[in-house]
Amino acid sequence: MSKNQIDRCECNVIHQNIVDAVSGRMPDDTMLYDLAEFFKAFGDLTRIRILWALSESEMCVCDISALLNMTPSSISHQLRVLKQARLVKFRKAGKVVYYQLDDIHIRQVFDQGRQHIKERQ
C-alpha cells in the first residue's frame, strides 16, 4: 500500500446489527451540535491558557492579563466566549469580578486532554 492510499473498507456488506445498535444509541443532532460547540471553545490557544490559569486559581481579568501579558479587553473577550460555552463562571466582590472554572467537569476534560497529549509524545 502506498503512503498516499487511504485505509478503507473494500467490502460492500453492511453489518446491519452494528448499524442498528449504534443508531439506537446515537444522541440527537441538538446534543451533538452542543457537544461540537463545547469542544470548539477549547480550540484557541488563548482560551486554553486562560482555562489552565483558572484550573490553578480563581482570578480576575487584571490578574489573567498580567499572567498572559495581554490586554484586559483581549482577556475579557475570550472570557465572554468561555462564559457562553459555560466553561467559566464569575462572582463579584465589590468592583472586582473573579473568574473560575464552571465546574469539576471542565477540569476533568482539560486533564483528560492533557493526559492524552502526554501519552502520544
Side-chain angles (χ1 to χ4, degrees), residues 4-69:
N4 294 332
Q5 188 174 1
I6 298 173
D7 289 337
R8 61 186 163 134
C9 184
E10 293 184 12
C11 72
N12 41 355
V13 175
I14 296 175
H15 302 91
Q16 196 63 48
N17 58 332
I18 295 171
V19 172
D20 291 344
V22 172
S23 176
R25 293 189 303 264
M26 175 112 26
D28 65 25
D29 284 349
T30 301
M31 172 60 81
L32 293 174
Y33 176 83
D34 290 345
L35 188 59
E37 289 297 309
F38 173 79
F39 282 110
K40 190 186 299 184
F42 286 89
D44 178 86
L45 179 58
T46 298
R47 290 193 293 267
I48 289 294
R49 293 173 75 203
I50 292 170
L51 289 171
W52 171 263
L54 295 178
S55 74
E56 294 294 314
S57 178
E58 178 181 70
M59 299 175 81
C60 72
V61 171
C62 295
D63 294 338
I64 300 168
S65 298
L67 175 69
L68 302 184
N69 196 28

Side-chain angles (χ1 to χ4, degrees), residues 99-117:
Y99 290 86
Q100 61 186 328
L101 297 182
D102 189 68
D103 62 33
I104 188 70
H105 300 110
I106 307 308
R107 175 74 185 244
Q108 291 169 342
V109 169
F110 199 73
D111 288 344
Q112 287 290 314
R114 288 182 48 237
Q115 185 62 35
H116 178 72
I117 298 300

Side-chain angles (χ1 to χ4, degrees), residues 67-83:
L67 175 69
L68 302 184
N69 196 28
M70 296 178 68
T71 65
S73 66
S74 296
I75 297 300
S76 292
H77 171 73
Q78 296 301 337
L79 285 167
R80 204 167 18 262
V81 172
L82 292 170
K83 280 191 306 188

